[in-house]
Amino acid sequence: LHRRGHSSTIALTQTLSTDDNDINSEMYVPTKVIPVEFCGPGCVLLAQPNDSSHFFVRAAVFIYQYEKEEGARGVILERPSAFSMGETSPGIGCFEANTLFIGGEQGSDTAIMLGKLQLEGACKYVGAGIYLGGMKAAKERVTDGIGVPKDYKFFFNHAEWEAGVLEKEIAAGTWDVIKAPPEDVLCQDSSGVEFWSRARNQLVSEGLLKNDD
């Protein structure tokens, strides 16, 4: 899965509010879309406008797992399936109305849950304000009135890169790399402008991305 592309990222023309070390830290939680160097979990990959691959057309991919010697895993943020969680997982209770998103082509028909609330050791902090897993604890908290179902987003399967492949794709310009606020990563409203377009348009308007559309 190595595709050639042309990066549209250009040099920053304004000073960001935090230094590079903060931006590239897994603890950094952005309040708006910002371009970054790839630093693993917590980054979002934006496909190029001319990308014609099946799953990655106009895709924004959130990276939730990365090891240099093992590769990377992520989920495509805006591929809603035709099913709700209640239809695919009877008995899921408070999450039955949540849409199930298609995270990618890889996986063993498994579901992945991302959220923005720490679940007392039941989940793993990924980066950029996002946590992975902890379904039982999340269900208990929402049932108890702590948070709401839309604080969590569910994905079926994932996208996967073998060791070294994603780095080569980024170097070849296949992806622009950003960080995004948790509310953008977890957005489940498909009625408005897609995040891929909003993110690219924002960066173009700020002079941080070339307009290659």
Side-chain angles (χ1 to χ4, degrees):
L1 184 61
H2 183 102
R3 305 184 312 282
R4 295 181 179 178
H6 177 69
S7 177
S8 54
T9 303
I10 61 178
L12 296 182
T13 58
Q14 62 189 45
T15 302
L16 298 173
S17 59
T18 55
D19 60 39
D20 288 343
N21 288 333
D22 286 337
I23 291 171
N24 289 312
S25 166
E26 66 177 16
M27 301 308 297
Y28 178 78
V29 181
T31 57
K32 68 173 188 175
V33 170
I34 58 171
V36 297
E37 295 293 326
F38 181 70
C39 52
C43 289
V44 175
L45 310 176
L46 294 180
Q48 299 300 330
N50 60 357
D51 193 323
S52 59
S53 59
H54 173 58
F55 254 85
F56 291 136
V57 172
R58 300 171 70 90
V61 184
F62 179 80
I63 300 298
Y64 67 86
Q65 180 178 312
Y66 173 75
E67 293 290 343
K68 186 174 181 179
E69 303 303 323
E70 297 180 8
R73 289 185 178 184
V75 285
I76 302 171
L77 294 178
E78 299 180 294
R79 296 286 189 273
S81 74
F83 303 99
S84 68
M85 288 301 295
E87 292 173 306
T88 60
S89 303
I92 202 167
C94 58
F95 295 121
E96 63 181 9
N98 283 50
T99 298
L100 177 63
F101 287 75
I102 301 171
E105 295 182 284
Q106 283 83 32
S108 303
D109 297 340
T110 55
I112 297 164
M113 185 188 82
L114 298 180
K116 64 179 182 180
L117 300 178
Q118 186 174 12
L119 300 171
E120 297 148 12
C123 60
K124 177 183 179 181
Y125 183 70
V126 174
I130 298 295
Y131 296 84
L132 172 69
M135 164 93 82
K136 181 179 179 181
K139 185 176 178 181
E140 291 173 352
R141 292 193 69 172
V142 172
T143 301
D144 290 341
I146 303 173
V148 297
K150 291 300 178 69
D151 286 335
Y152 304 91
K153 190 171 182 178
F154 297 86
F155 300 87
F156 176 75
N157 287 345
H158 60 268
E160 186 171 335
W161 292 262
E162 294 180 355
V165 174
L166 180 56
E167 294 91 333
K168 290 179 181 178
E169 290 189 358
I170 293 172
T174 302
W175 304 99
D176 288 313
V177 185
I178 65 169
K179 284 193 175 180
E183 54 265 30
D184 285 330
V185 174
L186 300 176
C187 180
Q188 299 174 55
D189 181 8
S190 59
S191 63
V193 178
E194 63 182 350
F195 173 66
W196 180 88
S197 294
R198 286 190 289 109
R200 296 193 68 88
N201 290 342
Q202 177 199 308
L203 294 176
V204 167
S205 70
E206 294 176 351
L208 302 178
L209 204 64
K210 292 179 182 178
N211 188 359
D212 289 343
D213 292 9

